[in-house]
Amino acid sequence: MMNTFKTALLLTALTLCLVLLGEHYGGRNGMILAFAIAAGINFFSYFYSDKLALTMYRAQPVSREELPRVYQVVERMTQRIGLPMPKIYVIPSDSPNAFATGRNPQHASVAVTQGILNLLNDDELEGVLAHELGHVRNRDILTSSIAATLAGAITMLARMGYWAALFGGYGGEGRDRDRGGGFGALLMLILAPIAATLIQLAISRSREYEADATGAHITGNPYALASALEKLDAYSKRLPLQASPSNAHLFIVQPLLSGRDFASLFATHPPIPKRIERLIGRSSVYGAQN
């Protein structure tokens, strides 16, 4: 309940950030427009964020016959914890990674890269899939998607407002003079995306810890997930998966961010050693079972 309250509070802060940004540049009309944008973003994220993420990474649906190794594990765990069977996708990439998406457990999808299937043994793969089902069970996929989309909208609006203020738009000279002119617009351009990104990351990082804990509870084997995280961290750095800042938070380990957005300056995931330490009591799997 406390985690749900914190997430709702952070999402409210993101929405208020967007609304206040609209008020800064456009007064009352700008505030109303920004609120309408926030409502539209939430609607779009609710129904289409999963399809957008899967399409972006060219994820292909696979049948039980095509990928029995994953289906058997996921079917066993979903029956154990009372979740509907999600759709299974494979991403045609040699970089090892995985993510879950969907607005609720009834519309969930789990995507794995070809690289992760080649890298992990059965126990480690089970740990990763349990982590992703943890996201589904905790109902935090949609929350993270909405947070990312709102943060992106704030960044975009800040940029638009800066250029409009620079050339005398959104209220003219009087409004620009009252609100600090070009300097005020520049300040908003810098601070608004940073604030939005920090709020988004607060949501994303806490969710990763929770999904790790849930995944370890589902399998009863935290060492398998810890071992998988250590392998994924090492191999994904050698062969990184290019990802967009808007949905990099979906993956189990942080992919390589593309673009030069403010969001690319911040880590979307907690450090792997800290995640491993929470799972097994030390920051490395090596020697943990001895």
Side-chain angles (χ1 to χ4, degrees), residues 258-272:
S258 61
R260 300 185 182 276
D261 201 280
F262 272 104
S264 66
L265 300 177
F266 300 90
T268 58
H269 292 61
I272 293 295

Side-chain angles (χ1 to χ4, degrees), residues 1-11 138 207 210:
M1 289 295 294
M2 182 56 66
N3 286 327
T4 302
F5 173 76
K6 289 178 181 178
T7 300
L9 192 63
L10 289 168
L11 283 175
N138 298 340
R207 294 303 187 181
E210 289 176 31

Side-chain angles (χ1 to χ4, degrees), residues 19 22-35 175 179:
V19 170
E23 194 276 336
H24 175 83
Y25 288 120
R28 183 176 181 181
N29 290 337
M31 183 170 61
I32 294 172
L33 177 61
F35 184 79
R175 176 170 292 279
R179 296 179 181 267

Side-chain angles (χ1 to χ4, degrees), residues 96-157:
N97 224 315
F99 70 83
T101 187
R103 62 182 182 268
N104 54 42
Q106 287 72 36
H107 298 86
S109 300
V110 173
V112 294
T113 65
Q114 190 61 51
I116 204 173
L117 297 174
N118 298 333
L119 175 65
L120 302 184
N121 62 39
D122 289 346
D123 287 343
E124 292 165 343
L125 182 61
E126 182 181 59
V128 167
L129 293 171
H131 169 98
E132 299 306 333
L133 290 177
H135 280 304
V136 175
R137 187 182 188 184
N138 298 340
R139 297 175 180 264
D140 57 33
I141 308 169
L142 176 64
T143 300
S144 297
S145 297
I146 291 175
T149 311
L150 281 171
I154 290 169
T155 301
M156 180 184 68
L157 186 59

Side-chain angles (χ1 to χ4, degrees), residues 54-68:
L54 292 166
T55 301
M56 182 176 295
Y57 298 105
R58 298 180 291 120
Q60 300 297 318
V62 288
S63 65
R64 182 178 289 98
E65 290 72 24
E66 293 172 308
L67 202 59

Side-chain angles (χ1 to χ4, degrees), residues 43-56:
F43 177 84
F44 176 84
S45 296
Y46 185 80
F47 287 104
Y48 300 109
S49 60
D50 58 334
K51 298 178 179 63
L52 184 63
L54 292 166
T55 301
M56 182 176 295

